[in-house]
Amino acid sequence: MTLPDELRNEEPSKLSVQGVSKRFRSRGHLVQALDNVSLEVGEGEFVCLVGPSGCGKTTLLNIIGGLEHADSGQVLADGQPITSPGRDRMMMFQESALFPWLDVRGNLLFGLKLKPGLRRKERLEIADFYLRLVGLERFRKAHVHELSGGMKQRVALARCLAPNPRVLLMDEPFAALDALTREQLYGDLQHIWQERKKTIIFVTHNVREAACLGDRVILFSPNPGRIREEFKVGLPRPRDINTVELARYSTSITAALKGHAVGEPREVAE
Amino acid sequence: MKRIVKASIFFIALVLIWEGIYAAHIWSPVLVPSPASVARYLIDAARDGTLASATLVTVRRLVTGYAFGIAIGLPLGLLTARFNLVRDTLGLAALGLQGLPSVCWVPLALLWFGETESAMFFVVVMGTVWSVIIATETGVRNIPPIFARAARTMGSRGLHTWLRVILPAALPAVVGGMKQGWAFAWRSLMAAEIYVTVMSGFGLGSLLHYGRELNAMDQVIGIMFVLLLIGLLADRVFFSPWERMLRHRWGTAAK
């Protein structure tokens, strides 16, 4: 594989979640984290999963990522069932999870070295390409602890993009950042998404963030974890989180979220 | 440069106080020799080669035993962290034995191996290995699970994860354990060398022992200086660079 090939956009994946259920035992109680959840995500679509804690949105993300297994049901990526983590589906977490024993570029090279068929020089060029994409090429030799929270998440994003996956799975990646940094990253992420054409599933409990980023916002409710409603966000991109139009969307989603949250918690039968 | 000057002034002052005490004749010169006589002993011992050969014997015992202790302690620590069965068996044993003052291995080593190099080796290994096992295990168990998850999503599996993620992530704790193991090994070796004479080589401990036998306080104090120097040097040569590296990369000191 040549370098231009490697940097060319992979076709984004189509994901199909089919009747997925998952239970946990937590403090002696059986929690139905996901109850017969089905969801179709189109190629290159940006989908946000929103809901209160414990509604199973992170569990669903982990199942799509291959880090956890469903009790029943399955998830297909381009028609193939997902059974384990794969390079075509990269995951980003709330903590950057960057490795402190490697410098910034070393973190990007970690995943690239595990991708077969790349020469050393190509790996370095790919790493530099993605560091440039997130605007941190000057920091390639920096150590992780020298970066701010926002810079860490940018490096984490670059590290996810570097193996050229078809899907990005993001688990509240901006939740620990200050508001200003976060807003900047909304812009960056939309820009990168349009440039690199990935299917993105983005978990958050911030409704406004979801309305700002998603083509679609999927609303989850807890006990048992189910999809309650979905909203299409038809605003043009790039979107600014501070506009009135966006506020209108997030208000109606928040209203729906409150409606479901006060619904009676259901006990799960053993 | 300023730090060196301050340190020098401090140590020169100590020697001057010592000289003052000696000159005041409060205690017998047999008990408190002059700094000059200690220096004379060290110079003589350095000239006739006793000091060099004793240092060599001691350092060789220490380094071989220590290296062996790490070579088995590190993998055993990883196994202890990986398998609950190993943790509940070997891990428990290591925890107990680490608490045992390593000097306590000396009588056992002498009965098993006699007054031989093997006994010395054994004592040093016992001083090292338990600390390294415990530190490696704790280090691995305290790694944020997110590292392994992130590595898995990037395609890392099995041995690759252990060598490229778990081990480097546990490094600060492992270095801490190695340092503790070094301290234990050093102390127990000295005890063993003072306690018994091994005919295959006279270490610094033996010189200390004969200093006592001969009532030669200048020798006793002189050798203590050498021991102190070796400890300092080991810290500067072996551990400081690691700790500096950890501070540099992690942004923290070793635990």
Side-chain angles (χ1 to χ4, degrees):
Chain A
M1 192 179 280
T2 61
L3 196 62
D5 270 347
E6 183 54 39
L7 294 178
R8 192 200 58 217
N9 288 330
E10 284 280 353
E11 283 298 308
S13 282
K14 178 172 178 274
L15 295 171
S16 175
V17 178
Q18 302 177 338
V20 165
S21 295
K22 176 85 181 174
R23 286 178 180 192
F24 285 114
R25 187 168 282 284
S26 158
R27 288 191 221 99
H29 292 281
L30 208 57
V31 180
Q32 187 85 40
L34 292 169
D35 182 30
N36 195 22
V37 168
S38 296
L39 176 67
E40 296 290 324
V41 180
E43 291 98 341
E45 196 180 7
F46 199 140
V47 172
C48 291
L49 311 183
V50 184
S53 339
C55 69
K57 52 196 195 299
T58 294
T59 306
L60 180 60
L61 201 72
N62 286 338
I63 291 173
I64 299 171
L67 289 172
E68 284 180 41
H69 295 286
D71 295 337
S72 60
Q74 61 175 353
V75 182
L76 304 178
D78 300 315
Q80 297 297 314
I82 290 169
T83 54
S84 64
R87 244 184 305 277
D88 52 337
R89 281 164 284 120
M90 293 298 287
M91 233 170 153
M92 195 175 154
F93 309 94
Q94 184 175 336
E95 313 101 284
S96 71
L98 295 176
F99 301 145
W101 57 93
L102 301 172
D103 62 11
V104 164
R105 189 165 62 179
N107 270 281
L108 267 70
L109 291 173
F110 185 93
L112 289 169
K113 281 180 187 161
L114 286 161
K115 189 168 179 168
L118 290 173
R119 279 197 298 270
R120 195 186 122 76
K121 193 167 161 285
E122 292 168 336
R123 287 197 294 261
L124 290 172
E125 277 177 49
I126 294 167
D128 286 346
F129 172 85
Y130 285 101
L131 282 176
R132 214 161 25 246
L133 190 66
V134 297
L136 288 175
E137 70 272 34
R138 284 191 305 117
F139 292 89
R140 65 164 80 97
K141 297 261 184 223
H143 293 299
V144 174
H145 70 92
E146 294 164 331
L147 305 177
S148 69
M151 285 155 84
K152 280 183 193 160
Q153 286 306 65
R154 277 191 201 172
V155 176
L157 179 60
R159 182 169 78 168
C160 286
L161 291 168
N164 210 4
R166 296 142 84 93
V167 181
L168 269 187
L169 303 168
M170 310 180 81
D171 190 4
E172 303 191 39
F174 305 146
L177 303 177
D178 65 275
L180 220 61
T181 309
R182 221 181 307 157
E183 282 183 27
Q184 205 177 353
L185 279 163
Y186 295 150
D188 292 349
L189 182 59
Q190 292 185 71
H191 168 75
I192 288 167
W193 170 66
Q194 285 175 318
E195 186 146 306
R196 301 301 303 167
K197 300 196 172 40
K198 308 286 177 198
T199 302
I200 297 184
I201 300 189
F202 189 105
V203 165
T204 176
H205 51 237
N206 182 337
V207 171
R208 230 181 145 110
E209 178 174 275
C212 175
L213 294 173
D215 293 326
R216 260 195 304 159
V217 177
I218 314 281
L219 200 58
F220 277 69
S221 69
N223 305 312
R226 281 183 184 149
I227 293 177
R228 302 312 297 215
E229 252 180 287
E230 63 171 82
F231 300 82
K232 274 199 159 48
V233 184
L235 296 171
R237 289 181 190 271
R239 299 176 190 154
D240 180 344
I241 194 153
N242 296 313
T243 59
V244 181
E245 293 80 12
L246 208 143
R248 210 170 289 135
Y249 273 98
S250 73
T251 310
S252 63
I253 299 171
T254 306
L257 186 65
K258 280 185 181 150
H260 296 306
V262 292
E264 295 210 337
R266 269 155 287 242
E267 277 297 317
V268 182
E270 281 274 348
Chain B
M1 209 55 208
K2 250 184 145 182
R3 282 173 63 199
I4 292 175
V5 173
K6 281 178 193 163
S8 310
I9 292 172
F10 175 73
F11 287 109
I12 290 168
L14 278 187
V15 172
L16 286 178
I17 291 170
W18 175 11
E19 177 66 33
I21 292 172
Y22 166 77
H25 289 294
I26 306 170
W27 293 287
S28 148
V30 177
L31 296 181
V32 183
S34 71
S37 69
V38 171
R40 211 173 307 121
Y41 165 75
L42 284 175
I43 291 166
D44 289 345
R47 272 213 190 118
D48 66 16
T50 21
L51 203 57
S53 75
T55 305
L56 198 70
V57 165
T58 296
V59 168
R60 200 187 54 225
R61 283 171 182 161
L62 192 61
V63 169
T64 49
Y66 182 63
F68 186 79
I70 288 175
I72 58 173
L74 209 59
L76 285 179
L78 291 178
L79 286 176
T80 310
R82 172 71 181 78
F83 300 105
N84 284 337
L85 179 69
V86 184
R87 180 193 56 188
D88 296 339
T89 53
L90 180 76
L92 200 62
L95 199 64
L97 292 171
Q98 187 215 20
L100 187 74
S102 43
V103 186
C104 300
W105 289 102
V106 175
L108 186 141
L110 290 173
L111 288 173
W112 274 3
F113 301 103
E115 298 179 1
T116 61
E117 284 299 324
S118 308
M120 297 290 167
F121 180 74
F122 181 78
V123 166
V124 174
V125 172
M126 288 300 114
T128 310
V129 77
W130 312 116
S131 293
V132 175
I133 291 179
I134 299 291
T136 308
E137 192 224 340
T138 339
V140 169
R141 285 194 191 270
N142 286 337
I143 297 172
I146 193 99
F147 285 160
R149 285 162 69 90
R152 267 186 80 196
T153 63
M154 286 186 276
S156 173
R157 298 280 185 283
L159 195 64
H160 184 274
T161 308
W162 278 89
L163 293 180
R164 296 299 170 87
V165 182
I166 309 279
L167 205 56
L171 202 60
V174 171
V175 170
M178 281 166 63
K179 207 172 163 179
Q180 192 187 37
W182 171 264
F184 285 174
W186 181 223
R187 281 155 181 69
S188 49
L189 175 65
M190 270 312 108
E193 283 193 352
I194 292 171
Y195 200 40
V196 290
T197 304
V198 174
M199 293 319 282
S200 51
F202 294 96
L204 290 166
S206 313
L207 290 184
L208 210 52
H209 173 72
Y210 288 117
R212 189 196 77 95
E213 298 266 285
L214 301 169
N215 262 347
M217 199 52 143
D218 49 355
Q219 176 168 346
V220 169
I221 294 179
I223 296 300
M224 284 173 73
F225 271 125
V226 175
L227 294 175
L228 197 144
L229 216 63
I230 291 176
L232 260 164
L233 213 65
D235 191 75
R236 281 297 137 96
V237 174
F238 289 140
F239 297 109
S240 285
W242 281 91
E243 286 170 332
R244 212 169 318 127
M245 185 278 279
L246 291 173
R247 236 188 331 266
H248 186 59
R249 297 229 170 153
W250 266 254
T252 52
K255 275 173 229 161

